[in-house]
Amino acid sequence: MGAAGISHKYFFKNSTYIKTTIATTVSGTDWATQKLNNQLSLVPKSSIVNTNYNYILSSAINKKFSARHTNRTGILITGMQYDIQLNKADNTQQPERNIVDAQGFSSLLSAYSSSSIGITNKLHVTIGINGQLFTLNNHYTVEPRIGISQQLNTKQSVALAYGLHSRLEKLNYYFNNSLTTGAQQVNKDLDFTKAHHIVASYNLSISDVLHFKAEPYYQYLYNVPVIADSSFSFLNLRNDWFFAEKLQNTGAGSNYGIDLTLEKYISKGYYYLFTASVFNAAYKGGDDVWRSTRFNRNFVFNFLIGKEWYMGKRKQNILSLNTRLCYQGGNRYSPVNTAASNATQGIIYDESLAYSLQTTPALNAHFTASYKMNKKN
């Protein structure tokens, strides 16, 4: 993989500047695997040949209309050149079957405008809109966003924000063939996954070095790719190169919770940070049933603390000791369908009870020690 780019900024005389960036990235994967059959001979199992070039043009103009109003308007064009070959064998008795065979060029076109407005010295509003068009299938999105913040006094502030956001899937999912029906490129018309985000926040400066923040949030996802009449959802998908089923944008998801942060900035040689996240993450698959997602741990608590000592004749060296504790809910998983597994001599999960089980919570502890020596020059 690799990347290269160049940016240019031009300043006008009236508190305005324009910044333009041109960049390109390249990534490639060439990976083949084999598997032992019952005769203990190696036979092909899967192969990936995937090369992607991205050509990126970004340009935005930033203008300060007054002391209280600044606007930023711009475009982002991403050209995607791809060459994807994915093959997989169902078992050791069958040859590899083609899942993706696609070469071509497509683009993601984006345009946006955002204004930051100071209504008063303490009330601040940010409002904007973002649009995207995927030229492969001509699906587009229009995404409004707004945020309001109020400084209550010198130590406290509150804020509320809403935004509509969308996500493009990895290119290979748009070109996969169905191994069930044999149909070609069954997901080429796949739409964006979209989500409404609502976030509130409360900030309190307890002292010059101690800060508290609370953020309740809610997220509703829709247009999520799912398989019809199945518990499957892209919200639970990990990096599966060989996914080969027809999808439809009828799934949904819901995430809500609260994040708490208490942070002491480093002073007198030490710091600490405590974060707590309590949440629920659910999804609706192609069977219209709501379930916990694979990632619904329900809670994550972190505590970090560290101390530094200046050492040496001129106090030029630093000894640092740090520790981090993380306590989090367990992974979600699906129960095994014992009868089906015995019949096929392989693991078959009970998808009607997808992610209904959870492992016990886990505690992870990390410790680091470092000694930094500074010498002349």
Side-chain angles (χ1 to χ4, degrees):
M1 60 191 303
I6 186 169
S7 67
H8 174 265
K9 184 181 287 188
Y10 182 82
F11 293 90
F12 298 91
K13 294 181 179 180
N14 55 352
S15 301
T16 303
Y17 69 86
I18 184 169
K19 182 179 180 181
T20 302
T21 300
I22 299 175
T24 183
T25 67
V26 59
S27 63
T29 301
D30 189 348
W31 180 24
T33 64
Q34 295 176 306
K35 189 174 183 178
L36 286 172
N37 61 17
N38 291 336
Q39 291 73 44
L40 300 183
S41 298
L42 282 171
V43 294
K45 179 186 178 185
S46 64
S47 62
I48 300 171
V49 178
N50 179 53
T51 304
N52 290 280
Y53 292 89
N54 285 344
Y55 308 101
I56 304 157
L57 169 64
S58 172
S59 186
I61 185 166
N62 197 93
K63 180 172 178 58
K64 189 173 183 179
F65 289 96
S66 67
R68 290 187 172 180
H69 180 201
T70 301
N71 177 270
R72 183 178 178 85
T73 299
I75 60 170
L76 174 62
I77 300 174
T78 303
M80 296 171 282
Q81 182 179 337
Y82 51 85
D83 185 353
I84 312 171
Q85 300 280 337
L86 305 179
N87 300 286
K88 184 184 179 183
D90 291 338
N91 54 57
T92 57
Q93 282 72 49
Q94 295 181 350
E96 288 183 327
R97 300 170 65 187
N98 179 250
I99 294 176
V100 176
D101 181 4
Q103 303 83 35
F105 183 89
S106 188
S107 299
L108 180 64
L109 312 178
S110 302
Y112 62 90
S113 183
S114 177
S115 281
S116 177
I117 304 169
I119 305 298
T120 68
N121 290 335
K122 295 184 177 181
L123 179 61
H124 189 268
V125 175
T126 301
I127 187 169
I129 191 165
N130 182 67
Q132 296 190 89
L133 171 66
F134 186 33
T135 61
L136 178 70
N137 51 28
N138 291 326
H139 283 299
Y140 66 90
T141 67
V142 178
E143 304 163 358
R145 297 165 191 178
I146 185 170
I148 303 172
S149 63
Q150 172 73 52
Q151 191 74 33
L152 301 178
N153 51 46
T154 57
K155 292 188 174 182
Q156 298 180 82
S157 66
V158 293
L160 180 66
Y162 161 79
L164 176 62
H165 299 263
S166 61
R167 184 183 75 178
L168 197 67
E169 306 300 341
K170 293 179 65 175
L171 276 178
N172 57 285
Y173 297 129
Y174 292 90
F175 299 109
N176 70 275
N177 306 323
S178 172
L179 296 186
T180 302
T181 65
Q184 303 292 299
Q185 296 188 356
V186 292
N187 296 317
K188 198 167 184 178
D189 197 46
L190 199 65
D191 201 354
F192 290 90
T193 298
K194 301 179 182 180
H196 296 286
H197 293 249
I198 300 175
V199 182
S201 68
Y202 170 73
N203 284 274
L204 172 64
S205 295
I206 301 172
S207 69
D208 291 340
V209 296
L210 190 60
H211 176 248
F212 172 77
K213 185 175 184 179
E215 284 190 312
Y217 61 87
Y218 176 74
Q219 178 189 41
Y220 178 76
L221 302 102
Y222 64 103
N223 268 25
V224 178
V226 296
I227 298 174
D229 303 317
S230 165
S231 63
F232 175 88
S233 170
F234 253 43
L235 296 183
N236 298 311
L237 189 70
R238 290 178 174 170
N239 189 18
D240 185 356
W241 281 98
F242 304 107
F243 178 84
E245 298 294 340
K246 180 173 174 54
L247 296 164
Q248 59 187 36
N249 289 103
T250 59
S254 172
N255 301 309
Y256 59 88
I258 186 169
D259 293 336
L260 303 173
T261 302
L262 179 66
E263 180 176 13
K264 179 192 175 296
Y265 309 122
I266 189 163
S267 64
K268 298 181 179 179
Y270 79 99
Y271 72 92
Y272 62 80
L273 172 69
F274 173 77
T275 66
S277 182
V278 181
F279 58 91
N280 186 70
Y283 80 99
K284 183 180 72 172
D287 55 4
D288 288 333
V289 177
W290 283 92
R291 301 176 174 88
S292 287
T293 70
R294 175 199 294 269
F295 311 103
N296 190 21
R297 294 179 178 271
N298 295 123
F299 65 87
V300 179
F301 301 113
N302 288 287
F303 180 67
L304 297 81
I305 189 168
K307 172 70 174 173
E308 290 183 346
W309 292 269
Y310 291 92
M311 309 181 75
K313 292 181 179 179
R314 296 179 299 277
K315 304 297 181 182
Q316 77 280 17
N317 302 329
I318 302 174
L319 171 65
S320 177
L321 303 178
N322 306 272
T323 189
R324 177 167 71 90
L325 300 176
C326 177
Y327 184 64
Q328 60 185 352
N331 290 318
R332 296 274 178 173
Y333 65 99
S334 305
V336 171
N337 185 327
T338 305
S341 299
N342 289 335
T344 60
Q345 292 296 294
I347 297 177
I348 305 296
Y349 293 97
D350 186 350
E351 297 301 337
S352 66
L353 299 173
Y355 310 111
S356 59
L357 302 179
Q358 188 175 16
T359 60
T360 56
L363 175 66
N364 294 288
H366 301 260
F367 177 77
T368 62
S370 67
Y371 188 70
K372 182 185 293 184
M373 293 177 288
N374 293 297
K375 299 294 184 182
K376 189 178 180 179
N377 298 322

